[in-house]
Amino acid sequence: MATNTLIQKLFGKDETGVGEDGVTQSNRREVEQFIASEGITDGDLVCLDISKSTAGERMYHVKKLKTDVGATAVAIGVADQDADADARINVVIKGYKSGANIATGAAIGERFVGTSTAGRGDVLVNSSTLPALGYVVTTASANAADVVIIKQF
């Protein structure tokens, strides 16, 4: 079930020590639960597993996004936890996600897309035909960056 995207709480400037600095306070993100088709690490970019045999399975199984293979190119979001194959996994499909698997060097404000490295994103180049999955909000270091995900479906 989708999480609420309405403003939950706006803190006054005189409020301190009550969680106002938490990343979950009114961050307006949507998280959906899927089933992992393979081992997935927190922060990996994921896609729908359209290699499954039925329409229903194609819509609730995910695997690491890998854009050079058609069956792993339908990007939907970023994993919000580690998961083994056949386990349930939470995926951020819209909004803020810290520690996404983004190639080192991606700068603040850059749009990102999937790459041929499973689960990793990189800067969208002008010649790309892929849609942007989101925006980088902290400079990527050690293949990790905070991002804002654009809802894909």
Side-chain angles (χ1 to χ4, degrees):
M1 175 173 272
T3 48
N4 193 336
T5 60
L6 300 174
I7 294 174
Q8 301 297 311
K9 171 76 172 151
L10 293 177
F11 291 89
K13 68 179 185 177
D14 61 342
E15 287 185 80
T16 59
V18 291
E20 65 273 17
D21 295 323
V23 296
T24 58
Q25 298 296 326
S26 290
N27 63 7
R28 296 169 188 87
R29 70 184 198 159
E30 288 184 46
V31 179
E32 293 284 350
Q33 193 167 82
F34 296 89
I35 296 175
S37 291
E38 62 186 5
I40 297 173
T41 302
D42 185 7
D44 280 346
L45 278 61
V46 298
C47 63
L48 293 173
D49 185 357
I50 59 174
S51 69
K52 294 294 185 181
S53 59
T54 68
E57 288 178 319
R58 290 180 190 123
M59 293 303 293
Y60 67 79
H61 281 84
V62 294
K63 60 192 326 181
K64 293 177 187 177
L65 175 65
K66 191 170 187 292
T67 56
D68 63 341
V69 179
T72 57
V74 184
I76 61 162
V78 179
D80 204 27
Q81 66 186 92
D82 294 339
D84 295 325
D86 299 320
R88 291 177 187 248
I89 183 169
N90 288 326
V91 175
V92 180
I93 63 168
K94 178 185 132 188
Y96 184 83
K97 170 64 179 139
S98 61
N101 185 354
I102 304 294
T104 297
I108 295 171
E110 295 278 7
R111 295 171 295 160
F112 69 91
V113 294
T115 66
S116 60
T117 301
R120 177 153 309 139
D122 203 351
V123 173
L124 173 68
V125 295
N126 289 337
S127 61
S128 177
T129 58
L130 297 171
L133 185 55
Y135 291 90
V136 176
V137 296
T138 61
T139 301
S141 176
N143 292 323
D146 296 351
V147 298
V148 173
I149 299 150
I150 301 168
K151 191 168 182 176
Q152 301 295 308
F153 73 104

